[in-house]
Amino acid sequence: MQLERVTDQPVLRPRPDVPWEKDAVLNAAVCEADGLVHLFYRAVAHKPGDPNRSAIGHAWSADGVHFERADEPILAPGTCPEEAQGVEDPRITYLEGTWHLTYTGYDGARTVARRATSPDLQTWTRQGTVLPWEPFGNEKNTALFPARIGGRYALLHRPMGGAGTVYEPHSVWLGYSDDLQTWTDHQLILPARRGQVAWEYAKNGIGGPPHRVDEGWLLVYHAVDAKMVYRLGLALLDADDPSRILRQTDEPILAPEVGWEVEGDVNNVVFTCGSLLRGTELSVYYGGADTVIGLARGDVSGFLGR
């Protein structure tokens, strides 16, 4: 299947007159609540000697295309050592009555997986680091499943390597927890298909949290080729054992093609942190060239075998 762009222009651009998001908006978590589509997006303000200082902003929309935005970020950098340089790439999950936002904390040298919670999408409380530096090293692409599996919480993440790590980097891993604090039983579930699929040569990682469907867990993921071009694919994971891949796209469902996906802060990137599934219609919000946010849609019934 292929996603089709809903509009020929981004649905969200940076606001040059807003200091904390004047240069780029990208990589948004997405959810629906109270009849609105909510985006929690990474916003970037370049400064001399501080080129990628990121905050997380909040936008909302009745139609999912035209958005209003808050004047201030919901999470700003610099409030703790782990986030000294920025808070990046949020993903949101509604789990047991609470909204959980997983995101990357960047201290200027290392990245760690962090988590914040909210009862109402308005007030957010930081819950700290999800996975410790050792043995995981740098972490990115972290998201909670929206339901327990076998009575335990489940988490997708991607170790990036570094001192102390024992996990294969640049591929998707699955972990479990009884308390949302300590994560164990980590399994490699979605390795980059190096040597098999050219557009997955360098690395891959999750999009947003997986969607529960009759057939299992539907996961949007990104992959990077040898020329550092980012594309999107789909995987179907087993409902009871998400370490089992039931199906995976051999061709990307979205690739950078239009100008604002090809040229920007980072060229040739389509990268998602969240999508909505209504029936079999998948709506993917994605960062274009690490500078703006686009929207593409497609019907997943064929991929699911319906």
Side-chain angles (χ1 to χ4, degrees):
M1 65 160 287
Q2 294 285 315
L3 297 179
E4 295 185 2
R5 293 163 184 81
V6 174
T7 66
D8 61 358
Q9 296 296 318
V11 297
L12 216 65
R13 293 181 181 272
R15 294 178 288 182
D17 58 335
V18 177
W20 56 275
E21 67 161 68
K22 66 184 181 66
D23 293 307
V25 294
L26 61 154
N27 302 357
V30 60
C31 65
E32 290 184 287
D34 301 322
L36 296 174
V37 174
H38 295 264
L39 296 182
F40 296 92
Y41 59 93
R42 177 180 172 186
V44 178
H46 297 315
K47 299 178 182 178
D50 192 11
N52 289 303
R53 191 170 176 84
S54 299
I56 295 176
H58 180 199
W60 57 91
S61 169
D63 64 6
V65 176
H66 304 92
F67 285 88
E68 299 179 63
R69 283 183 259 190
D71 292 331
E72 299 296 331
I74 63 158
L75 295 177
T79 61
C80 61
E82 294 85 356
E83 301 174 7
Q85 183 72 16
V87 286
E88 305 176 354
D89 299 354
R91 293 165 171 87
I92 194 165
T93 302
Y94 189 68
L95 178 62
E96 299 178 351
T98 298
W99 295 99
H100 297 258
L101 195 74
T102 51
Y103 61 96
T104 299
Y106 179 49
D107 67 3
R110 306 192 303 187
T111 58
V112 293
R114 304 272 291 170
R115 181 170 65 95
T117 57
S118 174
D120 56 8
L121 298 177
Q122 302 298 321
T123 303
W124 292 90
T125 302
R126 285 171 168 83
Q127 301 296 338
T129 297
V130 178
L131 297 168
W133 172 255
E134 292 188 4
F136 298 100
N138 288 306
E139 274 285 352
K140 285 195 172 184
N141 302 176
T142 303
L144 290 165
F145 281 72
R148 297 193 193 212
I149 299 173
R152 306 179 74 191
Y153 299 110
L155 175 85
L156 295 171
H157 65 102
R158 186 185 72 187
M160 295 288 291
T165 186
V166 297
Y167 293 93
E168 178 182 329
H170 308 309
S171 294
V172 178
W173 289 74
L174 168 71
Y176 290 97
S177 176
D178 295 317
D179 59 6
L180 291 173
Q181 301 294 326
T182 301
W183 295 89
T184 61
D185 302 322
H186 297 274
Q187 305 171 62
L188 175 64
I189 68 165
L190 197 67
R193 292 177 287 181
R194 301 178 181 93
Q196 303 174 52
V197 179
W199 58 280
E200 292 189 22
Y201 176 82
K203 57 185 176 180
N204 64 10
I206 66 165
H211 300 284
R212 185 69 172 89
V213 293
D214 291 342
E215 295 81 1
W217 295 102
L218 179 67
L219 178 68
V220 183
Y221 70 97
H222 69 265
V224 185
D225 71 9
K227 296 182 178 180
M228 299 306 292
V229 177
Y230 282 70
R231 300 176 176 86
L232 302 183
L234 283 180
L236 181 65
L237 312 178
D238 184 81
D240 299 317
D241 179 7
S243 68
R244 293 184 58 227
I245 301 174
L246 304 179
R247 194 169 303 151
Q248 193 172 357
T249 50
D250 288 328
E251 298 297 329
I253 62 172
L254 189 69
E257 295 174 350
V258 301
W260 46 271
E261 300 164 351
V262 174
E263 294 185 359
D265 268 8
V266 180
N267 293 341
N268 295 309
V269 173
V270 291
F271 186 103
T272 182
C273 286
S275 58
L276 300 174
L277 185 64
R278 303 181 182 104
T280 59
E281 182 187 70
L282 183 69
S283 297
V284 178
Y285 292 85
Y286 64 95
D290 275 14
T291 307
V292 296
I293 295 173
L295 170 61
R297 289 183 178 141
D299 190 301
V300 297
S301 56
F303 175 75
L304 296 174
R306 297 184 183 177

